[in-house]
Amino acid sequence: MIDMLRDRRGFALEATLIVLVLLTALIVAAMAGMLVVQRTAGIDYHGSRVSYAAEAGSDALMAQLEAAVQDGLVTDAELAALTTPVLPPFLYLPPTVTRVGGTVARTITDGPFAGLFGLNQRIDIDIEARDATGNRSNVIVSVNAQSIPLFQFGVFYEEDLEVTNGPPLTFDGWVHTNKNLYLSSANAFYRDIITTPDSVFWQRKDRNEALGGVWINDNTGSGVRLAFDSRSILDPEAFVARSQADFDGRLMTGASGVRPLRLPLPAGMAAVEMVRPRAVGDNEQVRAVKFAWKADWHITVDVTGLATPCLAMTSLPAGRPVPSAVDCPAIFQGRPDAFYEGREVIGVDVLDVNVGALHDWMAADATRRSAILYITFVNAGPGTLTDYPAVRLVNGAQLRFPLTVSTDRPVYVRGDFNAVGWQPASLLGDAVTILSNAWTDAAHPWPAAGFPLTGASVQTRVFAAVAAGHSATPCDWQRPACVPTAPPPLIGSNYGGGLENFPRFLENWGGGRVALYRGSLVSLFQSQYAARRRWSCCTYYSPPTRDWQFDQRFRDPANLPPGTPAVGSVVQTGFRPVYQ
């Protein structure tokens, strides 16, 4: 019996030892497993961190690329200048940025700007991030850099757009403003889409007047009267529903998802800088959008020698020959105080550019041909009440080559321009005024006695995109603190003149005289020199019959004028990790 008890105790001891050994093995295995899990988790943690760092680096490069493409183009120098961020403890290898294929023109198929075309460039951004322990992550981001040329809009305004026409106005072309839109007329007919990221009002901006005669085409081409606005329908969804019901959604505001189109400008650059002269501190981004730098022929005229401009002219022809002393006077003529400018109450110091003679001279030798001509003036008197230099284009009915003329001063066009044969053309300046085929300086002398009102021609035709400053109504009469009186030194109403006076006039266009215009009307800033010191219809001018339409030829990228500004955006189209 005693032996049996001893045997059992021996067996229990052995069993206990076996169990302890097994438990120890299990504990060791569990601890080893935990160590493996911890190590794996550590690897996953560090791998995830470096992966996120690579993504952050690609986002930083995209932000730089988006800033670069705001001027509507991306240069190789801008791609080479893209830099990775500083993000301790991670290090970045130099990025590889590659264009994939060439620039492709594609019609925008969705969103508020569906129907326009964008110039598209695919770009791949390859970036690798590493940490101190040797973990690394490599990603490739594909983006679409898209630019939308401004001259495919019928009208494009950066600031408030007002249209309060007197004589009937029928406009065929996309109308867009980045601010508010004021439509008040008894006889305005819009055949295309209207967009604003802000609001649309059926009253004038300067006073309480809603004439109720604005018509907008629906998708069938039938005009429907505008009977509501952003004040009468405050609910965004209700506004969109009413626009859809009345116009098939062809009137779109911020309620419809319209967003501002970024101007082709570097950050902090005022829009008026696009037409201002070159400056010593202009960096590469500024030079890419200033027409003074885009120009392949840059002319500076000393106002004190305007009477003999060929002697007072400095040319920077970008390697091209300039007219000889014999050829120059046939192209350029100067006329101090050439005529009375009733709107500005001043005599205009004119540099006449004989466009026909200029293109004849260019045609004689291909090395002379310039597509972008920039003209500026120096030594003008202080302010705008003394000298008033301006560029006037004459004899321009037929162009031989595409042409863009730009200046920081006002531009005048005398007679038909680009009406025979047609070439892509644009005019950029502080303001643009159309003088009829019947215009003579002698009939508008300076100093003037009263307000000469000579009759314009039966018809004057201008075919060119126009980008210039406009005159603005100071404030909305319904907003607090708005005083609807003309601010000094303005004489007359404080109404800015609206789109109907964006191309300006100085003659009696009454009696059915027609100003025929085909092009694109773009205003990105307020006029600096043509400051509209007088505003009163029917003293120094009476309005024409406006036959104004968007030139549909600008919908073809090959027909855009030289140097056409564009608004740009960058959209990510792909993201993929690179496994090594």
Side-chain angles (χ1 to χ4, degrees):
M1 186 68 175
I2 294 174
D3 291 337
M4 290 178 64
L5 290 174
R6 288 175 178 171
D7 290 341
R8 288 178 182 174
R9 285 197 297 269
F11 176 77
L13 179 59
E14 291 176 359
T16 301
L17 290 174
I18 291 172
V19 170
L20 289 174
V21 170
L22 291 174
L23 287 174
T24 301
L26 289 173
I27 292 171
V28 170
M31 291 180 64
M34 289 177 63
L35 289 174
V36 170
V37 169
Q38 287 179 348
R39 289 176 181 175
T40 303
I43 293 172
D44 288 344
Y45 170 72
H46 290 291
S48 296
R49 289 190 67 199
V50 77
S51 177
Y52 293 145
E55 291 185 32
S58 67
D59 290 341
L61 291 177
M62 271 196 62
Q64 296 172 54
L65 185 59
E66 185 167 6
V69 81
Q70 284 185 2
D71 60 2
L73 56 90
V74 182
T75 66
D76 290 338
E78 286 172 330
L79 294 182
L82 298 179
T83 57
T84 55
V86 176
L87 187 64
F90 303 101
L91 299 175
Y92 292 96
L93 297 185
T96 301
V97 184
T98 308
R99 295 180 188 270
V100 180
T103 301
V104 179
R106 288 199 298 265
T107 300
I108 300 171
T109 57
D110 55 15
F113 301 104
L116 300 178
F117 71 81
L119 304 177
N120 298 268
Q121 172 68 68
R122 177 184 162 186
I123 298 173
D124 281 355
I125 302 172
D126 188 334
I127 184 169
E128 181 174 319
R130 296 181 178 182
D131 65 14
T133 61
N135 293 288
R136 62 182 182 176
S137 178
N138 184 205
V139 298
I140 295 177
V141 178
S142 296
V143 301
N144 178 43
Q146 182 182 74
S147 63
I148 303 174
L150 287 184
F151 290 153
Q152 59 181 320
F153 288 93
V155 176
F156 184 101
Y157 263 52
E158 167 60 9
E159 300 184 356
D160 286 351
L161 172 58
E162 305 169 68
V163 193
T164 313
N165 53 288
L169 174 64
T170 300
F171 192 81
D172 189 357
W174 195 308
V175 176
H176 176 83
T177 173
N178 273 342
K179 299 294 184 181
N180 292 304
L181 176 62
Y182 295 84
L183 300 175
S184 178
S185 173
N187 43 28
F189 306 88
Y190 298 92
R191 293 176 173 171
D192 213 325
I193 294 170
I194 299 175
T195 52
T196 168
D198 210 312
S199 302
V200 61
F201 303 118
W202 59 9
Q203 289 179 313
R204 290 174 62 118
K205 184 178 180 180
D206 62 323
R207 65 175 182 262
N208 184 9
E209 179 179 286
L211 299 176
V214 174
W215 300 75
I216 301 172
N217 279 12
D218 61 17
N219 282 339
T220 68
S222 300
V224 179
R225 189 172 68 88
L226 177 65
F228 66 97
D229 70 353
S230 297
R231 288 191 177 113
S232 64
I233 301 180
L234 295 177
D235 179 66
E237 292 185 2
F239 183 96
V240 172
R242 181 64 181 274
S243 176
Q244 185 64 39
D246 286 7
F247 315 117
D248 295 319
R250 289 160 61 88
L251 172 64
M252 290 180 278
T253 68
S256 314
V258 179
R259 294 293 177 263
L261 285 172
R262 291 186 304 276
L263 292 178
L265 305 171
M269 177 179 170
V272 70
E273 289 292 331
M274 292 180 64
V275 297
R276 280 184 173 162
R278 298 177 180 183
V280 174
D282 290 344
N283 59 32
E284 184 180 4
Q285 284 186 322
V286 172
R287 293 185 180 197
V289 298
K290 265 192 173 183
F291 277 81
W293 289 105
K294 287 184 179 183
D296 43 19
W297 189 358
H298 183 289
I299 295 173
T300 302
V301 179
D302 189 332
V303 173
T304 61
L306 182 62
T308 53
C310 292
L311 300 179
M313 181 183 299
T314 302
S315 289
L316 299 174
R320 291 174 172 79
V322 296
S324 67
V326 175
D327 295 328
C328 185
I331 302 171
F332 301 103
Q333 289 287 323
R335 295 179 173 85
D337 291 328
F339 61 88
Y340 173 63
E341 166 54 275
R343 187 185 301 258
E344 303 302 327
V345 197
I346 201 168
V348 183
D349 303 307
V350 167
L351 175 70
D352 275 338
V353 181
N354 188 317
V355 179
L358 173 66
H359 275 189
D360 286 345
W361 176 78
M362 289 182 180
D365 185 344
T367 64
R368 298 174 178 175
R369 295 178 190 174
S370 295
I372 303 178
L373 177 65
Y374 182 84
I375 301 172
T376 189
F377 300 87
V378 294
N379 293 329
T384 58
L385 298 176
T386 51
D387 296 318
Y388 192 78
V391 175
R392 182 167 62 178
L393 306 178
V394 302
N395 189 27
Q398 183 172 9
L399 304 183
R400 291 192 178 211
F401 316 106
L403 177 66
T404 287
V405 177
S406 178
T407 177
D408 57 320
R409 297 285 181 161
V411 176
Y412 294 82
V413 180
R414 191 181 75 191
D416 289 349
F417 183 81
N418 196 24
V420 180
W422 195 84
Q423 292 284 347
S426 62
L427 310 173
L428 297 96
D430 189 63
V432 172
T433 301
I434 297 173
L435 307 175
S436 79
N437 285 304
W439 174 275
T440 64
D441 292 347
H444 300 78
W446 169 260
F451 303 104
L453 257 182
T454 61
S457 297
V458 174
Q459 185 181 74
T460 299
R461 303 169 296 169
V462 174
F463 290 75
V466 169
H470 69 280
S471 295
T473 301
C475 58
D476 187 324
W477 69 275
Q478 295 197 62
R479 303 288 172 86
C482 180
V483 180
T485 57
L490 186 63
I491 303 170
S493 167
N494 73 333
Y495 176 50
L499 178 69
E500 63 271 21
N501 287 288
F502 177 54
R504 304 179 180 190
F505 303 96
L506 289 177
E507 299 166 85
N508 178 10
W509 290 79
R513 296 179 176 93
V514 177
L516 185 148
Y517 173 79
R518 298 290 184 270
S520 172
L521 300 172
V522 174
S523 183
L524 306 180
F525 56 88
Q526 295 184 33
S527 300
Q528 308 293 299
Y529 296 103
R532 192 184 61 110
R533 279 180 291 277
R534 181 183 301 278
W535 171 244
S536 178
C537 170
C538 310
T539 53
Y540 59 87
Y541 95 109
S542 61
T545 297
R546 297 179 179 92
D547 182 358
W548 291 1
Q549 306 295 334
F550 170 66
D551 196 326
Q552 297 291 338
R553 286 170 286 204
F554 289 157
R555 289 289 174 87
D556 181 348
N559 287 332
L560 289 172
T564 294
V567 291
S569 64
V570 173
V571 178
Q572 180 175 318
T573 59
F575 179 89
R576 61 187 186 276
V578 179
Y579 298 102
Q580 301 178 6

